[in-house]
Amino acid sequence: MLIGAHVYEDDPVATAAERGADIVQMFLADPQGWKKPPPHPQAAELRASDVAVVVHSPYVVNLASLNNRVRIPSRKLVVQHAEAAAEVGAIGLVVHGGHVTQGEDAATGVDNWRKFFSRQADDGGFAVPILIENTAGGDHAMARRFDALARLWDAIGEFGAGFCLDTCHAYAGGEELVGVVDRARAITGRIDLVHLNNSRDGFDSARDRHANIDSGTIEPDVLAAVCAAADAPVVVETPAEGQAKDIAFLRERLTR
């Protein structure tokens, strides 16, 4: 099982070694910006490395949005990031499920996702798999509650969409972690990546605040059990100073 961390540094290979990571996740551009990602200076080294790579798309992306000035550039940005992710040898591109706003029809947001996948399929598909991530907050989110996730998957599952399960997001979003892997798989048929994060805030708080494994409101044994059940690559998006400890904890629990 690959176990690693989200890293911000320009030297992900060295950071992986420092933290004992088998896999690194990273942004390829400003996570709050709309610019096309530039070539990564370590692209060749990453492709040749034994360290697996996954890329996270910018937070501004909202493919469900009914606002053309958000949805259309979001489509372009995801395609660009998928191409850039392929250049660093990434196994996938993580994209948040997005949302509509109050008073808008969630079904239209779901249909916007379907149109995106359908049009890209007609253009030859994506350069790497798109891994849709469940989110923590918002009453109008596409992938917070699992009933909404099921509606989204009914629309896009045929296009080979992947799924990234975030434990903090699920817990803060009101989904019990006991049995969460089975419930997610019953909807998506797959779990391609786990974002293994504790939560600073309580159950159903709708607050996306990550904590290290031993310092949040979720029992560490519950988090380890999610990873074991998912049997997928694991990335911790926890505070950097505790990531090496988080990775070591998971590796000990999952390999003994």
Side-chain angles (χ1 to χ4, degrees):
M1 181 183 294
L2 299 175
I3 303 173
H6 184 99
V7 299
Y8 295 91
E9 292 82 358
D10 292 331
D11 193 350
V13 175
T15 303
E18 291 170 3
R19 299 180 191 175
D22 306 312
I23 180 171
V24 292
Q25 176 181 275
M26 58 186 180
F27 294 112
L28 293 178
D30 178 0
Q32 301 294 348
W34 292 96
K35 290 185 178 179
K36 179 180 178 179
H40 195 280
Q42 286 192 337
E45 188 175 354
L46 285 165
R47 289 195 303 270
S49 172
D50 291 334
V51 176
V53 179
V54 64
V55 172
H56 200 301
S57 66
Y59 296 129
V60 294
V61 166
N62 184 359
L63 293 162
S65 178
L66 276 61
N67 185 337
N68 289 344
R69 290 178 292 180
V70 174
R71 185 183 67 261
I72 293 173
S74 291
R75 291 173 174 170
K76 182 178 181 180
L77 204 59
V78 168
V79 172
Q80 290 173 337
H81 273 74
E83 292 170 350
E87 288 298 312
V88 298
I91 62 173
L93 176 68
V94 177
V95 182
H96 285 176
H99 62 276
V100 297
T101 60
Q102 186 174 2
E104 294 177 338
D105 187 357
T108 307
V110 169
D111 192 51
N112 284 339
W113 264 104
R114 180 177 175 82
K115 289 176 180 176
F116 175 58
F117 270 100
S118 178
R119 290 171 181 173
Q120 196 60 31
D122 290 342
D123 288 339
F126 298 97
V128 298
I130 303 301
L131 312 181
I132 300 174
E133 179 180 358
N134 61 305
T135 51
D139 293 332
H140 311 287
M142 299 294 101
R144 174 187 176 182
R145 308 285 189 185
F146 278 16
D147 57 345
L149 182 67
R151 290 190 290 273
L152 178 61
W153 231 261
D154 283 345
I156 64 170
E158 67 184 270
F159 298 106
F163 182 59
C164 172
L165 173 65
D166 187 301
T167 54
C168 172
H169 294 178
Y171 182 78
E175 293 289 338
E176 295 283 357
L177 292 187
V178 175
V180 71
V181 169
D182 289 341
R183 298 198 310 277
R185 278 211 184 101
I187 293 168
T188 66
R190 58 197 293 170
I191 294 178
D192 300 89
L193 181 70
V194 175
H195 282 172
L196 198 283
N197 304 304
N198 211 322
S199 175
R200 295 185 192 178
D201 298 289
F203 180 76
D204 206 16
S205 63
R207 294 177 62 82
D208 182 9
R209 299 291 185 269
H210 297 182
N212 291 107
I213 290 176
D214 64 355
S215 60
T217 57
I218 306 169
E219 287 293 329
D221 286 345
V222 172
L223 294 172
V226 170
C227 292
D231 193 26
V234 176
V235 167
V236 298
E237 299 175 312
T238 52
E241 62 274 10
Q243 285 185 348
K245 184 178 178 181
D246 290 340
I247 291 170
F249 169 85
L250 290 173
R251 187 164 287 124
E252 191 274 333
R253 290 300 182 94
L254 298 174
T255 60
R256 65 184 180 185

